[in-house]
Every structure is written in C-alpha cells, then in structure tokens.
Amino acid sequence: MQTHYQSLAAWTLLVLGHVAEGAAKNEQQILRSGGVVVDATSKMADKVRNELKHAEIIPTVIDDFLPALELHASWSSKQQASLGNALKPEKLQDAPSVTLHDASESSRLCTSRVSYVITLTDPDAPSRDDPKWSEMCHWIATGVSASATANRNAAQCLSPAPSDLDDVMPYKAPGPPEKTGKHRYVFIAFAAENGTTERLYPSKPADRQHWGYDTDDGETKGVRDWARENGLVPVAANFIYAKNKKQ
Ligand SMILES: *[C@@H]1O[C@H](CO)[C@@H](O)[C@H](O)[C@H]1NC(C)=O
C-alpha cells in the first residue's frame, strides 16, 4: 500500500516538475508538496477508491492507490463505464473511447504531455467463483496527453479517438460465457513511474489468458504483474459489470 502512495507521489512530483528529495511522509504532505495542491484526496479520488475496494478490485487486481485522474470510457452515449454499472456485452463490441480528466483545481497534470497506457482486464474468467483463467487481458493501448495550450482551460487530458490510440494488445470485447455470473471488466490507466513524457512502448503479453504469464494451479496473474514489469503506476480506473444473458 505504502509503495503505491510513494510511487504515485514520486510520479506526481516528477510530472509537476517539483521533484523533491525525500518525499513527505504522509499523503497530505505528499499531495501538497511544492505548494501545488494535487487534489487527489478530492471526493472523486475517494469515491473511485471506495468503489474499487467495494468491488474487491483493490486489492485483487491492483494494489491500493489514489486516483489522480478520472477515467471515462464510453462505447456510445448510453453505454458508459460508471464505477460498477451493468452493461450488456452485445453493446460493447467496438473499443470504447477513453478520456482522462483532471479533477484537481489546478489541472496541472494535463499540461505536461504525459504518456498514458490504458488497459482493460477481466479478473473473473471464466467466473468470479472459479477464476482459473484470470486475469484475461482485453486491451492495452498507449496514448499521449494533449498539449498544454490546447487544454489549459479544459479539464481534459486525453481525448484520443480510438484510432489515435496505439494498440499493444487489440481490444477484445467482453464475452462472458453462459452461466458464469457477472464479470468485472476493469479499466486502469497507467503512467510511467519515472515520469517520462516520451511515448511508452509497454510489452505485449504472449497471451490474453493470465496476461501471458505461466501460473501454477489457481494462481492469478494479470495487469498488476505486467504493469510492475513495465515500470508503470496506476493513475486512474473505472469498471463495469457484464454477464451472459443465459444464467
Ligand atoms: C521510463 O520508464 C519507461 C516505462 O518503463 C521506459 O520506457 C523509459 O525508458 C524510462 N525512461 C528513463 C529515462 O528511465
């Protein structure tokens, strides 16, 4: 838990150009160091984190972290990820458009051309009760935030059309099998822990199942292992539920 606070803090400080030696010890100090209020303790961050915990995405899929940005994913005007709403798989056939929004007062995270990686993972494959294929990798795409001037007054960092995202692993629409209950489909946006503004080229998993990792019986491997290996830290998340009609 501590590790991720420290990672996020280090990342935030790098991004904001306030690299401070010996980062402050507690969240408040970290988030306010350099006199810049990164409003990651805002209601948004708390709400997202609470919903992720409630759905057991924290700690099953990802370690505890404080979201610095909001992640919006929409397949159409009516089909949007909204922290655990239920959507029908047949409405999710094409890759959604994903945008990251800076909910902080300063919107400073938007002004620094940071590269992001968007992922979609299913920890409930083939079912939440028996996740022996978990996690299933559904999507990995990279994108770069818009430039400072274009977004100075708009609290939106990244609004790539799906075609502007580079797929590392192409989008595979949720297809929960019959009689496997609700699956959680989890979006996580990552940034490089080292704060680089260069485009990111994360590794492509060898397979979707277990994100390509070898696993012993019953062991879960997934986006957390992959992100760690690629030097990425989570900065935003959202999720939906979807299930097969036949239950
Ligand atoms: C920063 O991290 C990214 C992602 O792991 C990596 O591609 C890049 O080479 C790193 N840059 C530096 C300067 O370490």
Side-chain angles (χ1 to χ4, degrees):
M1 194 195 288
Q2 199 57 22
T3 317
H4 266 102
Y5 286 150
Q6 281 161 2
S7 300
L8 178 59
W11 174 78
T12 304
L13 292 170
L14 279 163
V15 166
L16 295 175
H18 289 268
V19 182
E21 289 274 312
K25 295 240 170 7
N26 69 47
E27 271 172 51
Q28 285 302 321
Q29 278 176 298
I30 287 168
L31 295 165
R32 286 162 195 279
S33 51
V36 179
V37 178
V38 180
D39 206 2
T41 51
S42 68
K43 277 194 198 141
M44 177 284 293
D46 283 342
K47 180 166 169 25
V48 174
R49 191 172 167 209
N50 287 339
E51 294 298 332
L52 293 172
K53 283 184 180 172
H54 184 68
E56 294 175 7
I57 290 163
I58 294 174
T60 307
V61 177
I62 196 90
D63 295 340
D64 195 7
F65 77 105
L66 274 175
L69 298 168
E70 272 178 64
L71 189 161
H72 296 190
S74 73
W75 288 265
S76 70
S77 58
K78 286 188 183 152
Q79 315 292 329
Q80 306 192 1
S82 175
L83 295 174
N85 54 320
L87 295 177
K88 296 192 167 119
E90 53 271 27
K91 307 271 190 189
L92 313 176
Q93 291 310 303
D94 298 323
S97 64
V98 176
T99 56
L100 297 173
H101 298 252
D102 185 343
S104 72
E105 281 162 44
S106 58
S107 291
R108 288 287 295 276
L109 293 172
C110 282
T111 62
S112 47
R113 284 196 78 80
V114 178
S115 292
Y116 296 101
V117 179
I118 309 290
T119 61
L120 179 62
T121 192
D122 173 7
D124 303 322
S127 72
R128 190 159 172 178
D129 292 338
D130 180 23
K132 64 184 176 225
W133 304 332
S134 174
E135 295 166 20
M136 192 68 81
C137 174
H138 278 263
W139 197 24
I140 302 173
T142 58
V144 183
S145 70
S147 70
T149 43
N151 280 286
R152 188 169 296 150
N153 298 313
Q156 181 161 319
C157 293
L158 173 70
S159 55
S163 58
D164 292 337
L165 285 171
D166 274 347
D167 281 348
V168 174
M169 183 68 103
Y171 177 77
K172 176 182 155 61
E178 292 179 13
K179 301 192 165 94
T180 61
K182 304 192 286 189
H183 290 223
R184 294 164 291 178
Y185 292 92
V186 183
F187 289 96
I188 304 173
F190 294 92
E193 187 167 12
N194 63 18
T196 184
T197 53
E198 285 159 25
R199 196 166 186 98
L200 301 175
Y201 298 95
S203 60
K204 178 176 182 174
D207 200 355
R208 292 186 186 270
Q209 196 169 311
H210 299 302
W211 282 63
Y213 289 101
D214 287 331
T215 57
D216 297 329
D217 255 0
E219 195 190 358
T220 294
K221 290 269 194 178
V223 67
R224 168 173 30 211
D225 307 270
W226 174 87
R228 208 172 269 158
E229 212 168 82
N230 281 280
L232 302 173
V233 288
V235 297
N238 207 329
F239 66 104
I240 60 162
Y241 289 101
K243 65 178 183 190
N244 195 295
K245 272 199 290 259
K246 298 193 178 133
Q247 293 295 331

